[in-house]
Amino acid sequence: MMRTQHRIVICCILAALAVLCHGAPLRRGPPVGPYRYGRKQASINASEKQLIDRCKVYFRNATLDHFSWATPPEHRTTFQQRYFVCDEDWKTQADGSKGPMFFYVGNEADVTLYLNASGLIWENAPAFGALIVFAEHRYYGVSKPFKKTLKEHMQFLTSEQAMADYAELITELKHDLGAKSSAIIGFGGSYGGMLATWMRLKYPHILDGAIAGSAPIWTYLGEDPPYDAGSFAKIVTRDASEEGGSAPACSSNVRQVWKAMFELGESKKGRAEITEAMRVCPDLLESTDDVAALADWASSAWDYMAMGNFPYPSTYILNGGGEMPAYPVRVACESLAKEKMSTDELFSGFADSLGIFYNYTKDVECYDFKAGANPETEEDGNFWDYQWCTEQFQPFSRDGKHDMYWDQPFSMKDSIERCQGQWGVTPRPMWATIQWGGRRIETASNIVFSNGLYDPWHGGGVLKNLSDSLVAVIIPEGAHHIDLMFSNKLDPPSVKQARAFELDNIRKWIDEVAERNKQQLPSSSISGTS
Amino acid sequence: MMRTQHRIVICCILAALAVLCHGAPLRRGPPVGPYRYGRKQASINASEKQLIDRCKVYFRNATLDHFSWATPPEHRTTFQQRYFVCDEDWKTQADGSKGPMFFYVGNEADVTLYLNASGLIWENAPAFGALIVFAEHRYYGVSKPFKKTLKEHMQFLTSEQAMADYAELITELKHDLGAKSSAIIGFGGSYGGMLATWMRLKYPHILDGAIAGSAPIWTYLGEDPPYDAGSFAKIVTRDASEEGGSAPACSSNVRQVWKAMFELGESKKGRAEITEAMRVCPDLLESTDDVAALADWASSAWDYMAMGNFPYPSTYILNGGGEMPAYPVRVACESLAKEKMSTDELFSGFADSLGIFYNYTKDVECYDFKAGANPETEEDGNFWDYQWCTEQFQPFSRDGKHDMYWDQPFSMKDSIERCQGQWGVTPRPMWATIQWGGRRIETASNIVFSNGLYDPWHGGGVLKNLSDSLVAVIIPEGAHHIDLMFSNKLDPPSVKQARAFELDNIRKWIDEVAERNKQQLPSSSISGTS
């Protein structure tokens, strides 16, 4: 049997994706990034420990509800928001002003995850003399507005509230640290990159520029041209094909697996055959619903391997709990490389491929796709589902033709009903586009959008320059915001170029702020009288 | 005694200013614009009737709470928002697309008030082939989310919610009317101009440009350089001085009045003298509190006369219920023109000056500064006070040295306590500046800020160009957003020039949209795979 530890990680990764741990028949597609399965206490290895030791942790009284003045539940008008300040590189500049602030716009997990992973910030702060701040997103990590009653008071979990927290925090920091004239550069990956983008749209007076790594801001309903809800699955499929450097037969073999799985899954005998060939733990496949759950669980592995399809071994997608090999999709595809595989060969090869993600310890004896989640680690993952069920209503679909899955059209009706049942909320499908502008963001400025073409999220990313200061950089060999990570000797040139491009833009933004500081801001000019 | 009708108008004008009708000792200074004393049913004269008859009225299901997914009070997730659509000038353009939309961004009153007053929109829609829309601000006019329980559910009254209503409405209209490619030009005066500005800041994908008439967006705490909280009073004083075209002695005589009033007001005998000399109705001045209330009531008249210091007779500041003469401050000052006036002469002349505002019917026999308000008309005025007590926390002060009043420093503490007592809410003094950027709006575009120098609100207005497309126009002889009104043969050249400048900018914005429509918006470019 799998060890408990592994089951935790696996199920948490799945939590927001398919809610399999709770048995809900959700197949809404992938969430933003791997991060939403945060940890109460991030696991920190030796080098990471050094990073967090270079920071001071603070908690501030953040406004609970920026958008109304209602009497709040339990009469709490504020909550304790955590943030880290790391100032050892912060230098006074030649003109006497304080250096810039590199501000990580926290997303859907414990902020120490980003603190430990954001090499781009750490490696470049010294050259910029920059202050580093990592801010935690409300409801995640330890920045939870309520304790036992948290799930009764989910209404304050929105992106707008989180951005207002950051706007207040930056304003306070500039004041408290005497950094009134410092340039503020936002960094974020995945949903954090979306938040950094939206902050530059909505709070350009707070954030002077934003590095938005793998930020799928164009993944909502109501966009014009519309978002291709099938793009995520198509890109995973591309990763598992010759174009993605994988065995040419891989994606068509994967497609065959589902077909065989659903056909055999109809009968008890067939389910026993699947159990045997795929090394599923005994007595789990009792019904067609179980088979559907197995398929969801298995397909998720490919989603995550594609997001983590880095050119070097990485613990990132496994949240530091284990390591996937370089180009995990290619490695997974090695077990499905043969042109004409029998059904047994397919299941056996498929089980091997899943092991890259689900058996990274190499000691899993059978797959328990129903394993329950650790309540603590489950929470953050679930909270992204709340966000998805309210304003982050991103459609996902698969069709089994343009991708290697089976037909799973996006059903707005089913999704809404599922959200009503799960959280008692009704999504407002058009809100994200009305609020954040969809494709119409051309009036914004000072954002670098980076996207790796192995990352399935790039289908909703900004891939072309929209103006001189809304610029896109493509990393053909990159997966999910690889550019934000620490440098690695296996980094392809495109990643190095992307980082250099980002640093150039940051320098330009800082220069703009210095120029602006020289100019007097306009005041009211009232004619005095007596 | 004054007729009931007059007392209503008077007290409602005062409602949000000094809350005298309720006896609260509020002296927080002037509210935004005269509009907040809305009407349940706007009084419509013959020509106005023609305007409203040119429109169709609609009610839409507006989202009650855009910023959370909480279960709302009484389980209402929407409310009926009123808007008017006037399409007789709407033309299809040479390129086959529909003409632009002139969208009035409703502010703190019944929207028919703006419909009837916004001559700039009506006079120019034909030349632009424009659709006209007047949208009502939630909680005002008839767009109230709750009926009897409204005051128990004030938390949904915020500028952010109102702007989100407009963003949704415009999106719906563009879709429903086949106007996807139409340019949307926002118009607003006073708080409406602030909303139009902020919509251009926060929803530039919804509003393509904004005419912000007399929009005091720089009137908040935390601005840098700080807002001069005394500017409003200084400008009223300037209007009542030689520089404002008034009798040179006027403002110093007004300053003498308060001194005499407070000195005499200490004694019963003195209060009797004031009552007699100022023609106050009998038995109202019983205490020094009454004297303070009289002073507030009287000083308000000057605030409103200054806002309405138009170069022609106008019913605007009196909400269509009566007419003030051209340059009412100058006319009021005629009664205070003498160099050395005795105390009796001062009170008598002051009473005459107040009559321009409080006795426009010429048949008021005595001033009843305690008269109660009509509950219906009171409500809108009070609602602005709720907004002031939450996010629109604009400081106001007078010092009696740089202005013609008496010393009234702004007290944050007193103001907050007053708001807590009045509405059970605590203002967040820095929120407006964090949310809307204070002076730091230079990244926005396509806004014309117009300000009349007779208008006391111009002290918080944008008086200089901030960029090529954030442009200011000054109307030296203008009062509160005169440029938005109907043309008048007595319009000074500066108003005509301001309107021409605004129309030039509107043309430019419409051309930009036409240019943008020719370009393909960016889509995601996903490599297909099989």
Side-chain angles (χ1 to χ4, degrees):
Chain A
M1 288 292 294
M2 292 170 71
R3 294 184 309 184
T4 306
Q5 187 193 337
H6 299 159
R7 275 182 294 179
I8 290 169
V9 174
I10 291 165
C11 201
C12 292
I13 288 172
L14 287 170
L17 178 62
V19 200
L20 285 180
C21 307
H22 312 95
L26 168 62
R27 297 189 194 89
R28 69 162 171 77
V32 173
Y35 294 164
R36 79 232 169 286
Y37 56 97
R39 299 163 292 183
K40 188 73 177 177
Q41 181 63 47
S43 70
I44 296 166
N45 68 27
S47 71
E48 286 174 339
K49 198 160 196 113
Q50 290 169 2
L51 291 180
I52 208 164
D53 287 347
R54 289 163 64 183
C55 308
K56 284 190 187 132
V57 63
Y58 295 90
F59 289 85
R60 61 185 284 273
N61 287 319
T63 302
L64 177 63
D65 188 356
H66 298 276
F67 300 103
S68 95
W69 278 254
T71 305
E74 304 176 18
H75 288 272
R76 294 192 202 172
T77 54
T78 60
F79 72 97
Q80 292 287 296
Q81 181 185 21
R82 180 171 63 163
Y83 62 100
F84 289 87
V85 175
C86 331
D87 65 0
E88 60 188 44
D89 298 321
W90 203 25
K91 297 285 185 306
T92 299
Q93 315 250 37
D95 64 358
S97 67
K98 296 275 184 82
M101 185 193 299
F102 285 0
F103 185 91
Y104 189 88
V105 183
N107 33 314
E108 75 285 21
D110 188 306
V111 72
T112 60
L113 186 66
Y114 314 118
L115 187 153
N116 287 320
S118 299
L120 184 69
I121 291 177
W122 286 108
E123 291 178 351
N124 295 290
F128 285 91
L131 179 72
I132 298 175
V133 177
F134 286 94
E136 192 158 72
H137 192 298
R138 56 167 59 200
Y139 282 74
Y140 295 99
V142 300
S143 298
K144 299 190 192 298
F146 300 87
K147 293 190 193 299
K148 287 186 180 171
T149 57
L150 185 62
K151 289 202 175 174
E152 296 163 28
H153 305 305
M154 293 298 290
Q155 68 264 36
F156 307 106
L157 173 55
T158 69
S159 303
E160 289 86 355
Q161 298 276 13
M163 286 191 266
D165 292 339
Y166 299 142
E168 276 193 355
L169 168 57
I170 292 170
T171 304
E172 286 171 17
L173 286 174
K174 288 182 89 162
H175 179 267
D176 296 348
L177 302 176
K180 185 180 137 182
S181 57
S182 291
I184 313 295
I185 311 299
F187 294 76
S190 198
Y191 170 48
M194 299 159 85
L195 289 172
T197 301
W198 296 330
M199 281 207 67
R200 184 65 198 154
L201 266 65
K202 300 287 188 181
Y203 296 91
H205 52 288
I206 304 276
L207 217 60
D208 295 300
I211 301 295
S214 293
I217 60 165
W218 288 341
T219 45
Y220 297 98
L221 294 161
E223 287 168 11
D224 180 23
Y227 169 58
D228 175 4
S231 64
F232 193 103
K234 286 182 198 169
I235 299 164
V236 180
T237 304
R238 179 179 167 275
D239 286 357
S241 71
E242 191 170 12
E243 201 182 345
S246 297
C250 182
S251 62
S252 56
N253 281 332
V254 172
R255 196 184 285 116
Q256 287 306 311
V257 169
W258 317 117
K259 197 160 171 275
M261 194 184 286
F262 295 132
E263 279 172 14
L264 285 171
E266 291 288 327
S267 71
K268 195 173 176 179
K269 181 168 168 293
R271 290 194 290 271
E273 193 180 330
I274 297 169
T275 297
E276 174 71 20
M278 263 190 70
R279 304 196 292 281
V280 174
C281 299
D283 305 327
L284 293 182
L285 275 186
E286 302 284 325
S287 66
T288 53
D289 278 355
D290 290 337
V291 174
L294 174 68
D296 281 340
W297 172 86
S299 72
S300 299
W302 290 90
D303 294 340
Y304 284 104
M305 289 191 288
M307 282 193 259
N309 205 23
F310 301 121
Y312 44 77
S314 169
T315 65
Y316 188 69
I317 291 294
L318 292 168
N319 205 357
E323 188 175 87
M324 287 204 296
Y327 296 121
V329 176
R330 295 182 190 175
V331 178
C333 277
E334 285 168 16
S335 315
L336 294 160
K338 214 176 119 184
E339 281 292 332
K340 284 176 186 167
M341 296 175 83
S342 70
T343 302
D344 266 9
E345 284 177 328
L346 273 176
F347 281 128
S348 173
F350 192 61
D352 290 343
S353 73
L354 298 180
I356 303 301
F357 184 67
Y358 287 135
N359 186 20
Y360 52 84
T361 56
K362 317 276 190 206
D363 62 358
V364 171
E365 288 169 15
C366 65
Y367 290 125
D368 179 1
F369 66 90
K370 289 182 174 177
N374 175 316
E376 273 187 10
T377 52
E378 177 196 307
E379 198 165 75
D380 283 352
N382 274 346
F383 285 180
W384 176 257
D385 189 54
Y386 177 85
Q387 292 194 254
W388 190 89
C389 276
T390 50
E391 61 185 344
Q392 303 291 352
F393 194 67
Q394 302 166 310
F396 292 98
S397 63
R398 294 162 173 168
D399 65 8
K401 290 173 191 157
H402 302 88
D403 57 57
M404 65 184 187
Y405 300 95
W406 62 102
D407 195 31
Q408 293 159 278
F410 177 70
S411 163
M412 175 131 47
K413 183 171 168 288
D414 291 352
S415 299
I416 289 175
E417 284 174 5
R418 207 271 304 166
C419 290
Q420 288 168 335
Q422 187 92 359
W423 297 101
V425 295
T426 301
R428 277 186 266 126
M430 297 301 151
W431 173 242
T433 297
I434 290 176
Q435 174 72 341
W436 294 305
R439 313 265 172 185
R440 288 283 319 281
I441 59 169
E442 74 279 357
T443 59
S445 60
N446 291 9
I447 307 174
V448 174
F449 299 99
S450 66
N451 280 283
L453 294 189
Y454 289 154
D455 176 17
W457 286 112
H458 88 253
V462 178
L463 306 180
K464 291 175 185 165
N465 292 356
L466 303 179
S467 71
D468 287 349
S469 72
L470 286 182
V471 290
V473 58
I474 302 287
I475 308 166
E477 304 88 356
H480 206 42
H481 53 76
I482 183 174
D483 46 322
L484 300 190
M485 312 260 179
F486 281 92
S487 298
N488 188 294
K489 61 181 188 299
L490 293 173
D491 277 333
S494 62
V495 177
K496 295 178 188 172
Q497 286 159 10
R499 291 191 184 122
F501 180 75
E502 288 162 357
L503 298 174
D504 282 349
N505 275 276
I506 292 171
R507 258 177 229 110
K508 195 181 78 173
W509 303 335
I510 291 171
D511 289 346
E512 283 174 11
V513 172
E515 193 57 39
R516 190 182 69 213
N517 287 336
K518 287 184 199 161
Q519 295 159 11
Q520 179 64 40
L521 280 171
S523 64
S524 310
S525 57
I526 308 308
S527 343
T529 182
S530 62
Chain B
M1 287 292 291
M2 292 170 73
R3 295 184 309 184
T4 305
Q5 186 193 340
H6 299 159
R7 274 181 294 178
I8 290 169
V9 173
I10 290 165
C11 202
C12 291
I13 288 173
L14 287 169
L17 177 63
V19 201
L20 286 179
C21 309
H22 313 96
L26 168 62
R27 297 188 194 89
R28 68 161 171 79
V32 173
Y35 295 162
R36 79 227 169 291
Y37 57 97
R39 299 163 292 181
K40 188 71 177 179
Q41 181 62 47
S43 69
I44 295 165
N45 67 28
S47 71
E48 286 174 337
K49 198 157 196 118
Q50 291 170 3
L51 292 180
I52 209 163
D53 286 347
R54 290 162 64 183
C55 308
K56 283 188 190 135
V57 62
Y58 294 91
F59 289 84
R60 62 185 283 271
N61 286 321
T63 301
L64 178 62
D65 188 357
H66 298 275
F67 301 102
S68 96
W69 279 255
T71 305
E74 303 175 18
H75 289 271
R76 294 191 201 172
T77 54
T78 60
F79 73 97
Q80 292 287 296
Q81 180 184 24
R82 179 171 63 164
Y83 63 100
F84 289 88
V85 175
C86 332
D87 65 0
E88 61 188 43
D89 298 321
W90 203 26
K91 297 284 185 307
T92 299
Q93 315 244 22
D95 65 358
S97 66
K98 295 276 184 85
M101 185 193 298
F102 284 1
F103 185 91
Y104 189 89
V105 182
N107 34 314
E108 74 285 22
D110 187 306
V111 73
T112 59
L113 186 66
Y114 314 118
L115 187 153
N116 288 320
S118 299
L120 184 70
I121 292 177
W122 285 108
E123 290 177 352
N124 295 290
F128 285 89
L131 179 72
I132 298 174
V133 176
F134 286 93
E136 192 158 73
H137 191 297
R138 56 167 59 200
Y139 282 75
Y140 296 100
V142 300
S143 297
K144 300 190 193 297
F146 300 87
K147 294 190 192 300
K148 285 185 180 172
T149 58
L150 185 63
K151 289 202 174 174
E152 295 163 29
H153 306 305
M154 292 300 291
Q155 68 263 36
F156 307 107
L157 172 54
T158 69
S159 302
E160 290 87 354
Q161 298 277 13
M163 285 191 269
D165 292 337
Y166 299 142
E168 277 194 355
L169 167 57
I170 292 170
T171 304
E172 286 170 17
L173 285 174
K174 286 181 90 162
H175 178 268
D176 296 347
L177 302 176
K180 184 179 139 184
S181 57
S182 290
I184 313 295
I185 311 299
F187 293 76
S190 198
Y191 170 50
M194 299 160 84
L195 290 171
T197 300
W198 295 330
M199 282 207 65
R200 185 65 199 154
L201 266 65
K202 300 287 187 181
Y203 296 91
H205 52 289
I206 304 275
L207 216 60
D208 295 299
I211 302 295
S214 293
I217 60 166
W218 287 342
T219 44
Y220 297 98
L221 293 161
E223 289 169 10
D224 181 21
Y227 168 56
D228 175 4
S231 64
F232 192 104
K234 285 182 198 170
I235 299 164
V236 180
T237 303
R238 179 180 167 275
D239 286 357
S241 71
E242 193 169 9
E243 202 183 344
S246 295
C250 183
S251 62
S252 56
N253 281 332
V254 172
R255 196 184 284 115
Q256 287 306 311
V257 168
W258 316 117
K259 196 160 173 273
M261 194 184 286
F262 294 132
E263 279 173 13
L264 284 171
E266 291 287 326
S267 72
K268 192 173 179 182
K269 182 168 167 292
R271 292 192 291 271
E273 194 180 327
I274 298 169
T275 297
E276 174 71 20
M278 266 189 67
R279 304 196 293 280
V280 174
C281 296
D283 307 325
L284 293 182
L285 277 185
E286 302 283 326
S287 67
T288 52
D289 277 357
D290 289 339
V291 175
L294 173 67
D296 280 341
W297 173 86
S299 72
S300 299
W302 290 91
D303 295 340
Y304 284 104
M305 288 190 289
M307 282 194 260
N309 205 23
F310 300 121
Y312 44 77
S314 168
T315 64
Y316 187 68
I317 291 294
L318 293 168
N319 204 356
E323 188 175 87
M324 287 204 294
Y327 294 121
V329 177
R330 295 180 191 176
V331 178
C333 277
E334 285 169 14
S335 317
L336 293 160
K338 214 175 117 184
E339 280 291 332
K340 284 176 184 164
M341 296 175 84
S342 70
T343 303
D344 264 11
E345 283 177 328
L346 276 174
F347 281 128
S348 172
F350 192 61
D352 289 344
S353 72
L354 298 180
I356 303 302
F357 184 66
Y358 286 136
N359 184 20
Y360 52 83
T361 54
K362 316 279 190 202
D363 62 359
V364 171
E365 288 168 14
C366 65
Y367 290 124
D368 179 2
F369 66 90
K370 290 182 173 177
N374 175 314
E376 273 188 10
T377 52
E378 178 197 309
E379 198 166 75
D380 283 352
N382 274 348
F383 284 0
W384 177 257
D385 189 56
Y386 176 86
Q387 292 194 255
W388 190 89
C389 276
T390 51
E391 61 186 343
Q392 303 290 351
F393 194 65
Q394 302 165 309
F396 292 98
S397 63
R398 295 163 173 168
D399 66 7
K401 290 172 191 157
H402 302 88
D403 58 56
M404 65 184 187
Y405 299 95
W406 63 101
D407 195 31
Q408 292 159 281
F410 177 69
S411 164
M412 175 131 47
K413 184 171 167 289
D414 291 352
S415 297
I416 288 175
E417 284 174 6
R418 207 269 306 168
C419 289
Q420 288 169 334
Q422 186 92 1
W423 296 101
V425 295
T426 301
R428 277 187 266 125
M430 297 301 149
W431 173 243
T433 298
I434 289 175
Q435 174 72 340
W436 294 305
R439 312 265 170 185
R440 290 281 319 281
I441 58 169
E442 74 279 355
T443 58
S445 61
N446 291 10
I447 308 174
V448 175
F449 298 100
S450 66
N451 280 282
L453 295 189
Y454 289 154
D455 177 18
W457 286 112
H458 87 253
V462 178
L463 306 180
K464 291 175 186 165
N465 292 357
L466 303 178
S467 72
D468 287 349
S469 72
L470 286 182
V471 288
V473 58
I474 302 287
I475 309 167
E477 305 86 358
H480 206 42
H481 54 74
I482 182 174
D483 48 321
L484 300 190
M485 312 261 176
F486 281 93
S487 298
N488 188 294
K489 62 181 189 296
L490 292 173
D491 278 334
S494 63
V495 177
K496 296 178 189 172
Q497 285 161 10
R499 290 190 184 121
F501 180 75
E502 288 161 357
L503 297 174
D504 281 350
N505 275 277
I506 291 170
R507 258 177 229 110
K508 195 181 77 175
W509 303 334
I510 292 171
D511 288 347
E512 284 173 10
V513 171
E515 194 56 39
R516 191 182 70 214
N517 287 337
K518 287 184 200 161
Q519 294 158 12
Q520 180 64 38
L521 280 171
S523 64
S524 312
S525 57
I526 309 308
S527 343
T529 183
S530 62

